[in-house]
Amino acid sequence: MAEVHIIGTLDGGEGFSSPNVSCRWSLEVGGAWRLLEGHKDGETQVDHPINEGRAHWSHPIDVHYALKGIQGWPKLSLQVYSEDVYRRRQLVGYGFVHLPTSPGLHKVECPTWRLTGSAMERIQSYFIGGGTLLRDDDLIYNGNDRYRLHTVASGTVYASLYIVTRNFDKFGVEA
């Protein structure tokens, strides 16, 4: 079978409403893909930047897939959380990006967004905390119903990823 290695780091993020952020990530693939090694999801630590600048995570990503075809090429799905002084977590951004299909080093930027909610939900969020959340996380990367959501831009997450392909020509897989 053809194989793909995705090796790199979730470098950090900036532009979020709170400086103390962490990121929950997952790789979403199609049915023709099989995970051979590594973890297809994970979570970074919370970074507390000194000057409320860019959060730095340097969280490793190292996965190895076998595939029958490029249908369902991996997408990096992200959920960014902020943490307050009482260690309460609040979601501040959703995002996803299609991973590059060409081998080599890629600097990936993923813009994120968050739900705005109704006027009552925004008032409640301001005074009590929390916020409007998705019922189904598949909407992050599956665009079937995403056009109905009311969202605002949140911040940007940065990743550095090496894409390594193996046996594509031997098994007739064209990227």
Side-chain angles (χ1 to χ4, degrees):
M1 289 186 116
E3 299 175 26
V4 171
H5 296 256
I6 302 166
I7 305 164
T9 58
L10 208 53
D11 296 327
E14 65 185 351
F16 297 101
S17 57
S18 169
N20 306 325
V21 292
S22 66
C23 183
R24 180 177 292 164
W25 63 272
S26 66
L27 289 171
E28 307 298 335
V29 297
W33 291 66
R34 184 170 48 99
L35 181 66
L36 297 177
E37 289 182 279
H39 299 284
K40 65 179 187 126
D41 56 9
E43 187 166 355
T44 70
Q45 81 280 0
V46 177
D47 185 31
H48 299 276
I50 294 171
N51 295 327
E52 297 188 8
R54 183 174 175 172
H56 296 277
W57 300 314
S58 297
H59 183 81
I61 297 174
D62 187 358
V63 291
H64 181 189
Y65 286 104
L67 59 133
K68 296 177 183 173
I70 64 168
Q71 295 81 12
W73 191 266
K75 297 175 224 162
L76 180 62
S77 175
L78 305 168
Q79 296 179 26
V80 180
Y81 293 88
S82 69
E83 184 178 275
D84 66 12
V85 295
Y86 303 109
R87 300 214 184 268
R88 294 179 297 192
R89 291 173 42 126
Q90 178 175 324
L91 189 113
V92 293
Y94 293 106
F96 88 95
V97 64
H98 292 276
L99 296 186
T101 57
S102 61
L105 173 63
H106 302 277
K107 299 289 186 177
V108 178
E109 292 184 15
C110 180
T112 62
W113 49 270
R114 62 180 172 81
L115 297 170
T116 57
S118 66
M120 186 61 175
E121 289 170 330
R122 288 193 302 269
I123 292 170
Q124 181 179 357
S125 174
Y126 179 79
F127 288 107
I128 300 174
T132 308
L133 302 175
L134 290 174
R135 289 185 192 154
D136 184 7
D137 290 342
D138 289 348
L139 285 175
I140 298 170
Y141 58 88
N142 187 355
N144 293 341
D145 291 326
R146 197 171 55 237
Y147 69 92
R148 295 180 184 175
L149 302 175
H150 297 280
T151 64
V152 293
S154 183
T156 304
V157 173
Y158 303 97
S160 300
L161 300 171
Y162 283 96
I163 308 295
V164 180
T165 59
R166 180 174 175 214
N167 296 331
F168 270 39
D169 54 347
K170 183 177 177 182
F171 290 97
V173 177
E174 294 181 21

